[in-house]
Amino acid sequence: MSASFREVQGFRQWWLWVLLPATALGTIGLFGYGIYTQIIEGDPWGDRPMSDAGLLTTTIATTILVAGVAALILSARLTTEVRSDGLHIRFFPLKWKTINFDTIASYEARTYRAIRDYGGYGIRWGREGKAYIVGGDEGLQLMLNDGRKILIGSRRAGELEAAMRTWKR
């Protein structure tokens, strides 16, 4: 089934691209220093040093965790498609959702403030309802028949709204 609208967005905030590598490098540097001090030089690292095996295990686990979180955030993509059978939202690698047109009471392109209205970026729940946001300040606000609100962030909100009109009047 072909889409009349398709948009793929990733996180593009400059501070994210600074913070994630800095966190990873800081973690590697800190634990690298600990390994050098305790294992290479033989001086206990810290006030209550752990065993050498514990230090190595903690270093490896922490590095994998930090790298995994960074990879998850940097690979995350919000894909929005308007097709004849509904509005499709995929927040890779976490969630896939299809909203059938008959469940949508109304919709409109609007501006928003991600942090104020929804508490940040990602899949969020806030005072304004649920939101799928990776950046920017524009999106398509859906009002569902059951009263719920869903916002889909879009750098092309006007085009998304126009594509919705093709299938849902």
Side-chain angles (χ1 to χ4, degrees), residues 5 107-110 140 156-166 168:
F5 175 88
Y107 56 90
E108 68 176 342
R110 77 173 189 94
L140 187 72
R156 298 166 34 210
E159 291 177 53
L160 175 54
E161 182 181 37
M164 287 287 292
R165 277 195 299 274
T166 302
K168 170 77 177 170

Side-chain angles (χ1 to χ4, degrees), residues 31-52 55:
F31 280 100
Y33 174 75
I35 289 171
Y36 176 78
T37 300
Q38 184 164 312
I39 297 174
I40 307 294
E41 291 193 346
D43 294 329
W45 184 50
D47 295 339
R48 296 183 346 193
M50 62 178 73
S51 68
D52 292 352
L55 179 58

Side-chain angles (χ1 to χ4, degrees), residues 4 16 33 46-47 56 63 97 99 105 111 117-119 122-123 133 135 140 155-156 160:
S4 61
L16 191 60
Y33 174 75
D47 295 339
L56 287 171
T63 301
K97 182 175 186 68
I99 302 171
T111 59
D117 297 340
Y118 297 99
I123 302 173
I133 305 170
L140 187 72
R155 291 184 173 89
R156 298 166 34 210
L160 175 54

Side-chain angles (χ1 to χ4, degrees), residues 86-137:
L87 178 63
H88 297 261
I89 305 163
R90 179 161 191 202
F91 204 97
F92 176 84
L94 303 173
K95 186 169 181 80
W96 179 262
K97 182 175 186 68
T98 299
I99 302 171
N100 295 322
F101 291 128
D102 59 355
T103 65
I104 301 171
S106 63
Y107 56 90
E108 68 176 342
R110 77 173 189 94
T111 59
Y112 62 90
R113 292 187 182 168
I115 294 173
R116 186 191 71 191
D117 297 340
Y118 297 99
Y121 301 94
I123 302 173
R124 309 297 295 195
W125 292 264
R127 60 188 171 122
E128 298 285 330
K130 188 174 186 178
Y132 298 85
I133 305 170
V134 294
D137 63 353

